[in-house]
């Protein structure tokens, strides 16, 4: 049910990020190891922050392993912050407006998981979205609705709080409809300067999520590895599953927690839903 | 801003209906005469009633003049009732779920026009849709929302009343948001047995709409025309613009009226919005 | 590297054939058991013989498990002979003209395998295609080239001979370019009345191929199975892999052989390439 | 039958080039003024030279006015040389591999016009393509074949000579097949440093082609025009039709001639086919 990666650090050629790794996102499109499905061929998307106000956003319903235009774009674009996602639909239509990441002004959002029983909850959730934001919803996914709830509840001012309130609201609506464990998530969101990544599920059994080990630590561990010497010290990746199998390069993000990545710092904090 | 046709009568090969006429819907895709735009290349759709419970529905974002699969389907499918539509978007995404006709159980719906200021009205309109129907909305068009409002207000029991109430509601919501003339429509809807076609605009300046003259009348007028002899007496077409230029074969549907086509009968009635 | 099925018998609803079986072609799109790849998401195609001169052909680059129009077509089309194929590209572009089955007049052709070293052989093979047929080649696959070579060498008059000559020519061209084992195939072809299915590889290690056991035999074996009672006696399927796991319902087509299916008869013959 | 533009000069944001002008290529997609067809909705392509070895190439079968990914790419990519093309098919399939520009190593090529009677000539032309290049032909258009003939006859060493020989060969093959006027062209080609644009037809009635007037000349003519002050002196555009209606900004490229654009220089020379 989807795989994603969130990169920040020195400007990187998108091709190096999305195509080169041994278990790249493109490879995961057909053979993911830790996803709910091995195939994630229901579309993909890439958001990247360049020299302009809002991030670029390339989304397509083609399976990621086939899309030539994505390959071309990646061979010619560099960015210091990149969000990329491959989709395995949990029911809603396969269309460009249902591909992640979703964008609102400078914000990007992507999600692996589901709002369980979304059809049943959909109207109540839609009504909870801020009136000024409602018409910006373009697609029909639970993931996009989740984004708009987070925006409604303060994502732009205090992202962890916005997400905590959105999650609590969904769980509350769920309970009122007899859905016991409504939220299943790993989520990443960014404003272009900081990235927040969340791992939480109402039932406590979330999809996989990993973050990269500090690069300078890895250089000590692997003094002869040339790739590590090319990476800047503030390189950070948060990923659904590791992009390669270098021992010690990845450590799991715990259940019910979130990571804040800003420049070379990353901190892990506990995550708890809080009703708005 | 879109063109459509609604056929009923003896089973007809879809290819004869959609490709053969001089000013066929496929031709209108690139060169419509009476539409708001000459090009209608933002997708198309065909709904047809065959031998099964619900109508078949083929929709695509490819320009209608290019789609080979449509050509193949039409060369191999016959139906006694056919709805076909070519789209020129008024702002919402070009995606399959935004192509007409829209389907709900046995019902089909298509629209040429707009709900003016839809972005502003969208939330209020969405909240007026019946709670049990809300989650069935798949796309983001005003046309689909209009369909769901009509369904909410009794389309399935009394189609003209359902549409009259939906129109009145939209005009009312519009006025509350400072939109003077909110509804622009020609609409066709059917349950597979009867077709209702509407022509109305809040401002009184609707898109073009024509119906075909009774075939037996045309046979008298053109005793040597072989095509007319092949058509059955109950052949009826309601169209955005004539499919050919045979004099007397088409007459305009008046403003603020609707046509009921059932078997070989068609009756024109005045149409007035009525608040629900 | 692709999976396919060839059906003949009483008219069947395409949906029953393509969607209902436990290991249907749609399921094999994401999880084939015996294919070279588990995912076959690089497009699909369906050819079917109805009441018209040439077979209908629906091909799309969408992964087969996502395509709604295919679902609709299948729910509304019946045919007595059906060819269906899901593609995993061996290098050439993912585009509609590269999806199987390929069609030429009343003939359909589909292939699982490869012409090894096709890039190297391509020009020589192209020049061996009959001058009157050359301009009908629309795509860039080895499979389509193979079809046109078979047409050149007499497929329409004597299918096994046409294929035998085409295979021999490809192997001969291959040897001249230093390619030891040039042909890898299971192929199915039909003129709408008879189906020929081939299993052969230059190296003797072909992709999987099975044919269905005689239905009346199966009825004896499983007297309580309701599906078997609905099938007509002349139902025949030749498939890349079994559509279900009913014991005794499928038996493998041997290496270096071909099956002729005509009405209720099917015969297996040895297959040997013969230079033209 | 297609429209294109070839830009060179200071790095420009692709969006300013493709979307901003009054009669931009995106506008020409639906309403070209001087093209053989008003609609050019059968796909598009953009090639651009950035900081890497080979040019980037984005091609799509979506009508250019709908493609969001193109918009995104253009908003985030700058280049000093850009080729862009919108397609109206003259018969071959609408697919990505049939969209211009075509690329071979660092070379790009685009064409407006046709090789008349291409189906008849196709095999003879294919045989004239260099054996080492043949397998690189991906699509089925006359335009791509024309490119490969030019490559065969020395495009990479002496572009005008390569094109002259290719044209002469096509005309010669045409005559042998009873085609009197086989070549209809405006063509643009570049290696990333120089652009050559050709206007020639066997019958002497070519599609429209214009080049931009020297920018410093225009600044004298329009001292108050702010856009002109932003353009660098070596800005050069060769276009199928003017992007705007500023008097004196565009002058027609004569029949039977070609333009060489290198840095700030552009020279017009007569063009004559020469048999290889």
């Amino acid at each position: 049910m989807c795989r994603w990666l969130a990169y920040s650090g020195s400007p990187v050629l998108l091709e190096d990020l999305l195509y080169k790794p041994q278990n790249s996102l493109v490879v995961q499109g057909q053979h993911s190891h830790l996803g709910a499905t091995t195939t994630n061929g229901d579309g993909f998307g890439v958001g990247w922050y360049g020299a302009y106000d809002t991030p670029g956003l390339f989304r397509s319903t083609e399976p990621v392993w086939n899309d030539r235009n994505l390959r071309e774009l990646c061979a010619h674009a560099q960015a210091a912050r990149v969000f990329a996602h491959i989709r395995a639909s949990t029911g809603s239509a396969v269309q460009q407006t249902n591909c992640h990441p979703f964008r609102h002004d400078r914000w990007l959002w992507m999600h692996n998981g589901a709002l369980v029983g979304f059809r049943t909850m959909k109207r109540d959730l839609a009504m909870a979205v801020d009136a000024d934001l409602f018409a910006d919803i373009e697609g029909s996914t639970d993931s996009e609705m989740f984004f708009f709830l987070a925006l409604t509840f303060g994502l732009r001012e205090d992202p962890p709080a916005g997400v905590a309130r959105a999650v609590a609201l969904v769980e509350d609506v769920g309970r009122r409809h007899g859905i016991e464990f409504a939220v299943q998530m790993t989520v990443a969101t960014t404003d272009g300067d900081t990235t927040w990544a969340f791992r939480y599920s109402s039932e406590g059994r979330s999809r996989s999520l990993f973050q990269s080990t500090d690069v300078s630590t890895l250089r000590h561990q692997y003094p002869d590895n040339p790739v590590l010497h090319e990476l800047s010290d503030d390189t950070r990746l948060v990923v659904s599953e590791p992009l390669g199998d270098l021992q010690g390069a990845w450590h799991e993000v715990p259940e019910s927690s979130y990571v804040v990545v800003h420049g070379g710092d990353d901190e892990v904090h506990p995550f708890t839903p809080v009703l708005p």
Side-chain angles (χ1 to χ4, degrees), chain A residues 46-62:
Chain A
V46 183
W48 72 98
Y49 290 82
Y52 307 95
D53 289 342
T54 51
L57 184 62
F58 183 106
R59 298 187 292 175
S60 172
T61 58
E62 281 210 55

Side-chain angles (χ1 to χ4, degrees), chain A residues 12-21 74:
Chain A
V12 65
L13 189 65
L14 265 52
E15 188 181 55
D16 289 343
L17 192 59
L18 296 188
Y19 286 88
K20 294 273 169 72
C74 289

Side-chain angles (χ1 to χ4, degrees), chain A residues 70-81:
Chain A
L70 176 69
R71 191 94 210 219
E72 294 289 328
L73 171 80
C74 289
H76 288 83
Q78 281 200 342
R81 188 171 307 261

Side-chain angles (χ1 to χ4, degrees), chain A residues 30-71:
Chain A
Q30 287 190 282
H31 308 289
S32 80
H33 296 126
L34 304 177
T37 58
T38 50
T39 306
N40 296 276
D42 299 334
F44 67 89
V46 183
W48 72 98
Y49 290 82
Y52 307 95
D53 289 342
T54 51
L57 184 62
F58 183 106
R59 298 187 292 175
S60 172
T61 58
E62 281 210 55
V64 69
W65 61 88
N66 276 337
D67 199 298
R68 294 185 175 198
N69 289 333
L70 176 69
R71 191 94 210 219

Side-chain angles (χ1 to χ4, degrees), chain A residues 36-201:
Chain A
T37 58
T38 50
T39 306
N40 296 276
D42 299 334
F44 67 89
V46 183
W48 72 98
Y49 290 82
Y52 307 95
D53 289 342
T54 51
L57 184 62
F58 183 106
R59 298 187 292 175
S60 172
T61 58
E62 281 210 55
V64 69
W65 61 88
N66 276 337
D67 199 298
R68 294 185 175 198
N69 289 333
L70 176 69
R71 191 94 210 219
E72 294 289 328
L73 171 80
C74 289
H76 288 83
Q78 281 200 342
R81 188 171 307 261
V82 181
F83 266 32
H85 180 281
I86 53 179
R87 187 174 183 231
S89 170
T90 52
S92 47
V94 173
Q95 58 196 18
Q96 195 183 38
T97 53
N98 280 354
C99 295
H100 321 205
F102 300 97
R103 177 180 60 189
H104 189 86
D105 295 337
R106 267 189 75 83
W107 290 81
L108 292 177
W109 171 281
M110 48 193 186
H111 174 214
N112 171 212
L115 301 188
V116 178
F118 181 58
R119 257 191 77 89
T120 308
M121 298 192 294
K122 191 172 185 179
R123 189 174 187 271
D124 289 348
L125 298 181
M127 282 207 291
V129 170
D130 192 285
D132 290 335
L133 289 168
F134 185 81
D136 289 341
I137 298 173
E138 275 215 285
S140 55
T141 63
D142 49 358
S143 303
E144 188 191 21
M145 187 73 79
F146 194 5
F147 180 32
F148 276 79
L149 288 169
L151 286 165
T152 297
F153 293 121
L155 179 77
R156 288 166 288 186
E157 293 76 46
D158 181 345
V163 177
R165 292 175 194 130
V167 169
L169 178 103
V170 174
E171 290 182 329
D172 189 60
V173 168
R175 272 187 296 268
R176 288 193 270 115
H177 285 279
I179 297 158
E180 195 179 354
F181 302 116
V183 177
Q184 247 276 10
M185 79 173 183
T186 68
V187 154
T189 188
T190 182
D191 61 358
D193 288 312
T194 307
T195 293
W196 295 263
F198 301 79
R199 186 174 187 225
Y200 169 86
S201 295

Side-chain angles (χ1 to χ4, degrees), chain A residues 4-9 47-49 80-84 106-110 155 159-160 163 186-198 209-211 234-239 253 257-269:
Chain A
W4 54 258
L5 73 79
Y7 170 87
S8 55
W48 72 98
Y49 290 82
R81 188 171 307 261
V82 181
F83 266 32
R106 267 189 75 83
W107 290 81
L108 292 177
W109 171 281
M110 48 193 186
L155 179 77
V163 177
T186 68
V187 154
T189 188
T190 182
D191 61 358
D193 288 312
T194 307
T195 293
W196 295 263
F198 301 79
L209 193 65
F210 295 80
Q211 58 178 123
D234 60 356
T235 296
R236 289 290 180 278
L237 277 154
V238 186
V239 292
V253 175
S257 66
Y258 69 94
V259 186
V260 186
V261 180
H262 185 78
D265 301 316
D266 57 76
E267 295 179 6
V268 182
H269 304 265

